[in-house]
Amino acid sequence: MKTDEGKLIDIEMQNSALTKEVHYRFQIYGSRMIDHQVNRGDLLYSENVHEVYTILFVNDIDRDNLLLIDTYMPRNQLNHVRKYNLLTHHNVYLPFIDAVVREKGSKIELAIYTLYHGITDDIMALNSEVVIMMKEKMDQFNEDEELVLAASKRQLVKIQHHQEKVRIRQEGKEEGELLKAKENTLMLFKSKYPQEDILMLENLTLSQYNEIFKALIENKDLQIIKEMIK
């Protein structure tokens, strides 16, 4: 999103651990958001570049920084923030939010609590201006067919990408198992029947290779093995 002042904000909710890869990804996101504002040959950066904020809501905690909101900005050795800093990142550690709100949280903390749990009866019973505002925003969103459709499409694309990654990983695993079973079977077959043509053992299934390997271990007759190949 882009604010009225031109500031660019990237927000994501991550229902997982805050791994090294997630840390890397959000640093890259922020850097790209700065880089994409500048074209080659630009001379007056100050006229084209706006501050960038990345906000990560993550279902994890940082045991080295036990805070609800942890803010990162480049600093020097004297702990002074870089002048004219363009990139600020916030980690919001959601597991902290229940305890914070029980201790009468601030408006921003209550907003995070509502984001985390949704508009429930308990939250509406708080009768807070923050909750009422967020409920109104949610109703506006649900009444906008284009926004709802865009969100649905985005979710479907994310599901599709996840399923594709799972499929590729599974195919890679199966291919590795097939190659290993084939190599083991060929090696044992050649040691037992060095005069036989091993071309008959090409292009078999994983199940066939496993069955043939077992038969070779059990010293089954060559004719039985050939029948298994057929």
Side-chain angles (χ1 to χ4, degrees), residues 6-23:
K7 297 176 181 179
L8 304 177
I9 304 176
D10 182 42
I11 305 171
E12 181 168 328
M13 299 193 77
Q14 187 81 16
N15 192 26
S16 67
L18 187 55
T19 62
K20 179 173 73 173
E21 286 71 23
V22 175
H23 276 292

Side-chain angles (χ1 to χ4, degrees), residues 211-227:
E211 289 176 3
I212 293 168
F213 185 82
K214 182 181 179 183
L216 290 168
I217 290 290
E218 295 174 351
N219 293 315
K220 294 286 182 69
D221 186 76
L222 178 61
Q223 191 57 39
I224 294 176
I225 293 174
K226 288 183 177 180
E227 286 298 323

Side-chain angles (χ1 to χ4, degrees), residues 6 49 142 200:
V49 181
N142 289 330
M200 70 177 78

Side-chain angles (χ1 to χ4, degrees), residues 133-192:
M133 178 195 70
M134 295 184 72
K135 175 69 165 57
E136 290 174 351
K137 292 292 185 183
M138 187 184 74
D139 290 341
Q140 289 175 15
F141 175 86
N142 289 330
E143 291 169 3
D144 191 321
E145 293 184 3
E146 289 188 9
L147 281 178
V148 173
L149 181 61
S152 299
K153 286 182 177 179
R154 182 175 183 271
Q155 186 64 19
L156 287 173
V157 168
K158 290 179 71 174
I159 293 171
Q160 180 184 345
H161 286 173
H162 174 72
Q163 291 175 339
E164 185 70 11
K165 288 178 182 178
V166 171
R167 182 186 66 78
I168 291 172
R169 282 199 299 267
Q170 185 62 33
E171 288 179 354
K173 179 181 177 183
E174 291 173 355
E175 184 179 352
E177 291 176 349
L178 178 62
L179 288 173
K180 185 176 180 180
K182 178 181 178 181
E183 290 174 0
N184 291 340
T185 303
L186 288 174
M187 189 181 302
L188 188 55
F189 185 86
K190 285 191 289 186
S191 68
K192 285 182 174 291

Side-chain angles (χ1 to χ4, degrees), residues 29 37 55 65 69-71 79 87 105 123 152 172 174 179 181 183-184 186 189 208:
Y29 283 176
Q37 299 179 64
I55 305 173
N65 299 285
I69 303 174
D70 200 6
T71 299
N79 204 34
L87 181 57
I123 289 174
S152 299
E174 291 173 355
L179 288 173
E183 290 174 0
N184 291 340
L186 288 174
F189 185 86
Q208 284 177 302

